[in-house]
């Protein structure tokens, strides 16, 4: 079946540190891959996405590259800020089942200390 | 644009009572909305797809009679947790697809605690 596995949190870093949140997936075919972010008290927001192999999604200094050979979509940021503290979800839409069903990872809580 | 409003954000109820959660699309029409549930330290799991004017489509293992979904208008879907029990305590979140270019838009979620 289709599934997403994220690195287990919580993750705590100091400001300006380098961030990596690992995400691997299992899916049939070529799914679209997403990172969503949930700030405290708010709904999930799309952070970035990639729809085919070797695509790189980027937004707000975050990047993730669709790696089909390793079935991964790791989230990275070179220098994190306190305002990046949130819960991050990796997700996919399995092509075969249609575009409407998002499959999520369990989420990774990130805390950035000043 | 493309905002989904979910209410309430938190609710505490007694065992055996029912709780209604509302999901509204504020500036677009949503023929389809999605209801998710998140257990502590677990993924968001799709519970059901809500279809305006017709029956919801439930995922395998989700009790239809326990989680009643109504999508009576193009801007409102409701999830009612009937005869709630402590094991129903969870984080519930709704989502919609506003259309081309927006992607999935999520509500802010509802933290349900059944005591």
């Amino acid at each position: 079946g289709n599934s997403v596995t994220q690195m287990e949190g919580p993750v705590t870093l100091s400001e300006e540190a380098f961030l990596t949140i690992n995400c691997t997936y299992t899916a049939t075919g070529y799914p679209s891959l997403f990172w969503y972010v949930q700030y405290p008290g708010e709904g999930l927001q799309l952070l970035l996405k990639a729809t085919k192999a070797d695509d790189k999604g980027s937004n707000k200094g975050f990047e993730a590259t669709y790696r089909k050979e390793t079935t991964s979509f790791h989230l990275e940021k070179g220098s994190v800020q306190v305002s990046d503290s949130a819960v991050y979800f990796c997700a996919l839409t399995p092509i075969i089942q249609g575009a409407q069903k998002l499959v999520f990872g369990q989420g990774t809580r990130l805390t950035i200390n000043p | 644009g493309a905002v989904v409003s979910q209410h309430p954000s938190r609710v505490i109820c007694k065992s055996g009572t029912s709780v209604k959660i509302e999901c509204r699309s504020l500036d677009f029409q949503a023929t389809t909305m999605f209801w998710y549930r998140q257990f502590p330290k677990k993924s968001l799991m799709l519970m059901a797809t809500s279809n305006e004017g017709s029956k919801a489509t439930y995922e395998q293992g989700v009790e239809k009679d326990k989680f009643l979904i109504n999508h009576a208008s193009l801007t409102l879907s409701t999830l009612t947790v009937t005869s709630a029990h402590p094991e129903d305590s969870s984080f519930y979140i709704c989502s919609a697809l506003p259309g081309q270019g927006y992607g999935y838009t999520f509500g802010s979620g509802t933290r349900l605690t059944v005591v």
Side-chain angles (χ1 to χ4, degrees):
Chain A
N2 301 296
S3 66
V4 176
T5 302
Q6 288 179 235
M7 70 185 281
E8 206 161 316
V11 174
T12 303
L13 296 172
S14 298
E15 205 165 20
E16 299 183 3
F18 183 85
L19 168 71
T20 299
I21 301 178
N22 289 337
C23 171
T24 57
Y25 68 90
T26 302
T28 305
Y30 296 84
S32 292
L33 302 174
F34 306 84
W35 276 101
Y36 283 85
V37 57
Q38 185 176 30
Y39 298 103
E42 299 182 16
L44 274 71
Q45 302 173 24
L46 178 64
L47 181 59
L48 52 85
K49 67 178 182 181
T51 57
K52 61 182 187 296
D54 299 325
D55 265 3
K56 177 185 283 187
S58 61
N59 185 25
K60 299 182 180 180
F62 290 89
E63 293 183 340
T65 302
Y66 190 144
R67 301 286 189 200
K68 181 161 174 55
E69 63 276 12
T70 54
T71 61
S72 65
F73 194 54
H74 304 321
L75 182 68
E76 296 182 336
K77 186 173 184 181
S79 178
V80 292
Q81 306 300 314
V82 172
S83 58
D84 294 327
S85 298
V87 180
Y88 293 81
F89 293 91
C90 186
L92 64 82
T93 51
I95 298 300
I96 289 180
Q97 294 181 18
Q100 294 195 340
K101 293 189 178 183
L102 275 170
V103 177
F104 285 93
Q106 74 270 37
T108 302
R109 182 173 298 278
L110 173 67
T111 301
I112 307 300
N113 294 320
Chain B
V3 176
V4 172
S5 174
Q6 189 171 340
H7 178 81
S9 58
R10 293 177 181 271
V11 59
I12 301 173
C13 70
K14 293 183 178 181
S15 289
T17 61
S18 295
V19 174
K20 181 184 285 188
I21 302 170
E22 293 186 348
C23 182
R24 294 181 184 272
S25 57
L26 296 187
D27 46 9
F28 66 97
Q29 294 181 331
T31 55
T32 303
M33 290 186 176
F34 307 91
W35 288 96
Y36 292 84
R37 178 177 181 177
Q38 185 179 30
F39 294 96
K41 299 184 179 180
K42 299 289 185 182
S43 301
L44 276 76
M45 302 297 297
L46 180 64
M47 299 174 64
T49 302
S50 169
N51 303 299
E52 187 268 334
S54 64
K55 292 182 179 180
T57 304
Y58 289 82
E59 296 299 300
Q60 192 173 10
V62 177
E63 299 177 60
K64 300 178 183 182
D65 295 333
K66 175 121 187 104
F67 299 100
L68 298 180
I69 290 174
N70 184 278
H71 194 154
S73 78
L74 287 169
T75 59
L76 174 64
S77 175
T78 60
L79 169 67
T80 301
V81 183
T82 62
S83 188
H85 289 98
E87 56 265 31
D88 298 325
S89 298
S90 193
F91 185 71
Y92 296 87
I93 192 165
C94 66
S95 171
L97 272 171
Q100 286 288 349
Y102 280 103
Y104 298 88
T105 300
F106 288 82
S108 54
T110 298
R111 173 73 61 191
L112 170 64
T113 303
V114 184
V115 297

